[in-house]
Amino acid sequence: MAGFLQMTLAFRKYLIIVFVPLLFLPLPLAIPTKEAQCGYVIIVMALFWCTEALPLAVTALFPVLLFPLMNIMDSTTVCREYLKDTNMLFIGGLLMAIAIESWELHKRVALRVLLITGVRPALLLMGFMIVTAFLSMWISNTATTAMMVPIAQAVLEQLHKSEMESSPDGQTSENINKAFELQEEPTKSDISKEMEEKGNSHVLTVEEDRKRNENLLEEKHKNFSKGMSLCICYSASIGGIATLTGTTPNLVLQGQVDELFPDNGNIINFASWFSFAFPTMIVLLVLTWIWLQILYLGFNFQKNFGCAGDASAKAKERRAYETIKEESKKLGSMKFAEIAVLILFILLVLLWFTRDPGFIPGWATLLFNKNDTSYVTDATVAIFISVLLFVIPSDISTHDGDKEQTGSKSKIRAPPALLDWKVVHQKMPWNIVFLLGGGFALAKGSEESGLSAWLGTKLTPLQQIPHPAIALLLCLLIATFTECTSNVATTTLFLPILASMAEAICLNPLYVMLPCTLSASLAFMLPVATPPNAIVFSYGQLKVIDMAKAGFILNILGVLTITLAINTWASSLFQLQTFPSWANRSGTCP
């Protein structure tokens, strides 16, 4: 019996691949309609995505195979969905991120900010969170976490080493670095009273006292390390929500809105998304910082900020500060390539913001767009800057290092460009391009088959529930679902359904689609929920219960923050209280 169970577990992926399609096959056979057939494809893909029986990108190719066979869409139409404007925006944004990583510009920014914030516990926590969140807005959260964790480990080790060196034999617990005290420890008199009550008159020896102090220091270091690890992985997930290219679910939303509501007037663009999501990120980041302080540094905020530190504590902080300074010095002065990439990055962000800011006509509207047709999009800008990365050389100096000796002659060698295709090929997550395309194909298939309209009619009873309650419940559902499923797969599955539901009850689709997209990034509870969580968990300082305990409260805070956002500043920004004409495809809403 045990052997059978082991074999079943070992072959579970193959069993899922075989039995899931067979299990749901009666649905399209019993109800031979296009709606049922499309529903069958969605159910099979959803279960494959949840279980990861097949790679996510391979499952995303199912519409190319199944939609033509079921006469839902022809193959040419399906394949067009796999490389849309949103995919090109994703590729362009990632090319810039790869260039930043290649020239270690992100590391320079990280160390410079940490030198500004300092190394007092609460400020150190804040410094790492600010840097991680900012970098995650522009480069992948996985790359950001992978870079920040070793820096944090080096600083923590230096702090701990300083603590241990300044704790001589026989030092009492009152002399431990106050900046890192998590809570008030019992004094020796309290301990003596307790021991007297138990009838034990044993007096602590110097050796025992020293060991107790060392254990206390170890415990404090361990707790602070946990807090630091969690602050990095959580900030990486939170930072990604602030920009349209920061995390893939944001691009899924933009693509789905453009796919389902083609007349939306480019309502989701870089500038409008940033105006909505950046304040949300700031609020959630501050709440996360406060919560992790309470959980791992204690309630004594005065000590957390180092206000009560003595001379020895300040000396320890200086040594930790020197560690960061030393790392910064290793990078040397900024090279031409770093300056060029930085200028291109700033230009990219400025062009994104000013293309169509909303309150005034943007440069694209004035120069390129004709007859109310938006010819230039955010993807155009991203690809323009990406092309420049392959054109601009990484060095402009003509010193001896650029010459090769070939026999008696010296051959001048041109410097490489800021980015070359070999690096791109290694670092570009091409699977996400297919995953995005699979989502767009599903949305198109749902519309063409009539499944979206059918779902809309079935969801009309939801009209009786207050709209804020609907949004809150959906956020909780998505935040729970994304803990065990890819956030891209989660948004890909849910957004078309939410759009149909909103249209059926005459609710602005963005009122439910925006918060649910942000909620897909609230994967805080499990190590497997998102790559940043897995990276910090791999360092061995955290247990699953640590992440679950901190993450559960953060999930609640995240959902409440998002609910606040859509009912305040997002409501006026996107006119969420009115049902827009571009969403009234069926003509049933006033």
Side-chain angles (χ1 to χ4, degrees):
M1 186 64 184
F4 175 74
L5 286 173
Q6 285 181 349
M7 185 176 286
T8 305
L9 282 172
F11 286 85
R12 64 186 180 280
K13 287 190 176 181
Y14 296 104
L15 294 172
I16 290 166
I17 291 166
V18 172
F19 286 109
V20 164
L22 291 175
L23 185 65
F24 291 94
L25 193 58
L27 175 64
L29 294 177
I31 312 170
T33 62
K34 285 187 178 181
E35 293 96 324
Q37 289 169 341
C38 185
Y40 171 75
V41 175
I42 290 173
I43 290 168
V44 170
M45 287 180 70
L47 289 170
F48 278 7
W49 270 333
C50 291
T51 57
E52 293 190 36
L54 285 172
L56 298 178
V58 175
T59 303
L61 295 172
F62 275 28
V64 179
L65 170 67
L66 296 175
F67 282 176
L69 293 178
M70 294 176 170
N71 294 331
I72 295 171
M73 292 162 69
D74 65 86
S75 183
T76 306
T77 310
V78 178
C79 291
R80 280 199 201 109
E81 301 299 317
Y82 280 81
L83 205 59
K84 297 173 78 69
D85 179 77
T86 304
N87 297 70
M88 298 311 292
L89 175 58
F90 171 76
I91 291 169
L94 270 180
L95 287 171
M96 173 51 78
I98 290 167
I100 290 170
E101 284 179 52
S102 298
W103 294 104
E104 292 198 322
L105 189 61
H106 58 325
K107 190 172 184 180
R108 190 179 292 279
V109 171
L111 293 169
R112 188 60 57 88
V113 174
L114 290 174
L115 286 172
I116 294 168
T117 57
V119 294
R120 289 173 178 175
L123 294 178
L124 190 63
L125 213 63
M126 181 177 71
F128 272 97
M129 290 182 78
I130 290 170
V131 172
T132 309
F134 174 76
L135 293 175
S136 189
M137 287 164 62
W138 314 105
I139 67 176
S140 81
N141 55 13
T142 307
T144 304
T145 308
M147 183 203 70
M148 293 302 293
V149 174
I151 298 173
Q153 292 295 322
V155 175
L156 287 169
E157 283 304 316
Q158 182 58 51
L159 282 169
H160 184 51
K161 187 179 169 187
S162 303
E163 284 278 0
M164 297 304 286
E165 284 174 357
S166 62
S167 180
D169 290 354
Q171 183 182 10
T172 55
S173 60
E174 285 82 5
N175 292 328
I176 291 167
N177 180 7
K178 302 293 183 184
F180 290 90
E181 284 200 16
L182 305 183
Q183 59 185 14
E184 289 296 326
E185 294 296 322
T187 61
K188 291 180 77 173
S189 60
D190 291 336
I191 294 167
S192 299
K193 284 177 185 175
E194 282 182 39
M195 295 174 81
E196 281 173 9
E197 285 172 6
K198 294 172 184 176
N200 188 351
S201 59
H202 176 66
V203 180
L204 285 173
T205 64
V206 172
E207 180 63 24
E208 287 171 336
D209 195 28
R210 184 185 65 78
K211 283 182 180 176
R212 187 166 61 86
N213 291 334
E214 282 183 4
N215 291 338
L216 188 59
L217 284 171
E218 283 290 343
E219 188 63 31
K220 288 175 182 178
H221 172 68
K222 195 174 166 186
N223 275 317
F224 192 40
S225 298
K226 285 180 182 179
M228 187 64 75
S229 298
L230 289 173
C231 91
I232 290 171
C233 67
Y234 290 163
S235 302
S237 296
I238 294 167
I241 70 175
T243 58
L244 197 56
T245 54
T247 186
T248 318
N250 303 352
L251 289 168
V252 172
L253 170 73
Q254 187 203 33
Q256 298 281 21
V257 170
D258 290 344
E259 179 74 43
L260 298 167
F261 309 107
D263 301 322
N264 68 78
N266 197 23
I267 193 165
I268 302 291
N269 57 44
F270 193 90
S272 65
W273 178 268
F274 189 84
S275 304
F276 155 61
F278 184 73
T280 311
M281 182 205 79
I282 295 293
V283 173
L284 190 50
L285 211 59
V286 170
L287 291 174
T288 305
W289 179 55
I290 293 168
W291 168 235
L292 289 177
Q293 270 192 82
I294 291 169
L295 198 60
Y296 291 108
L297 295 178
F299 286 94
N300 197 328
F301 292 109
Q302 187 183 16
K303 289 181 181 178
N304 295 344
F305 281 91
C307 301
D310 54 15
S312 65
K314 285 174 183 172
K316 295 162 203 162
E317 287 170 9
R318 273 197 300 274
R319 285 195 286 272
Y321 186 82
E322 286 300 319
T323 304
I324 300 174
K325 207 170 182 180
E326 203 60 41
E327 284 291 317
S328 186
K329 277 182 183 175
K330 285 179 189 175
L331 295 175
S333 57
M334 282 189 82
K335 297 182 281 290
F336 172 78
E338 290 178 77
I339 296 167
V341 170
L342 180 62
I343 290 169
L344 287 176
F345 169 70
I346 293 168
L347 180 62
L348 173 66
V349 175
L350 286 175
L351 288 174
W352 268 339
F353 273 115
T354 55
R355 183 186 68 81
D356 185 18
F359 55 91
I360 54 168
W363 57 264
T365 307
L366 294 172
L367 298 175
F368 299 103
N369 297 346
K370 310 288 181 188
N371 304 321
D372 294 328
T373 304
S374 184
Y375 287 97
V376 174
T377 65
D378 288 332
T380 316
V381 177
I383 296 300
F384 167 63
I385 298 293
S386 300
V387 170
L388 291 181
L389 289 169
F390 291 96
V391 172
I392 298 171
S394 59
D395 196 5
I396 54 171
S397 60
T398 54
H399 49 72
D400 294 337
D402 296 330
K403 294 180 181 179
E404 282 181 359
Q405 294 292 332
T406 55
S408 59
K409 296 180 181 179
S410 63
K411 184 181 177 183
I412 296 175
R413 184 186 51 182
L418 292 171
L419 199 57
D420 67 78
W421 192 253
K422 188 183 285 185
V423 175
V424 172
H425 185 65
Q426 288 170 348
K427 294 191 175 182
M428 178 69 77
W430 298 108
N431 59 324
I432 302 295
V433 176
F434 291 117
L435 200 52
L436 280 169
F440 301 149
L442 275 185
K444 188 72 174 175
S446 298
E447 189 182 358
E448 292 288 325
S449 66
L451 180 63
S452 295
W454 179 83
L455 272 174
T457 58
K458 299 299 175 188
L459 293 169
T460 45
L462 289 173
Q463 202 161 8
Q464 309 304 319
I465 303 173
H467 295 166
I470 293 174
L472 180 66
L473 290 172
L474 287 171
C475 283
L476 287 169
L477 172 67
I478 301 291
T480 305
F481 201 76
T482 197
E483 292 291 349
C484 50
T485 315
S486 154
N487 55 8
V488 185
T490 302
T491 44
T492 300
L493 287 170
F494 278 94
L495 289 183
I497 298 170
L498 298 178
S500 301
M501 180 204 76
E503 195 179 352
I505 63 175
C506 299
L507 172 65
N508 190 320
L510 294 180
Y511 188 79
V512 286
M513 293 174 84
L514 286 172
C516 288
T517 301
L518 293 190
S519 297
S521 294
L522 303 181
F524 298 139
M525 284 180 64
L526 298 174
V528 295
T530 187
N533 291 12
I535 289 169
V536 298
F537 190 77
S538 68
Y539 276 76
Q541 295 163 332
L542 291 164
K543 295 176 182 174
V544 175
I545 188 66
D546 296 322
M547 197 171 275
K549 186 170 61 173
F552 177 74
I553 299 297
L554 271 190
N555 273 3
I556 302 296
L557 290 173
V559 167
L560 293 175
T561 303
I562 292 165
T563 306
L564 171 71
I566 58 160
N567 289 297
T568 50
W569 58 88
S571 184
S572 56
L573 188 66
F574 295 107
Q575 303 298 313
L576 296 180
Q577 300 307 320
T578 59
F579 187 75
S581 56
W582 51 260
N584 196 9
R585 294 177 298 178
S586 59
T588 54
C589 295

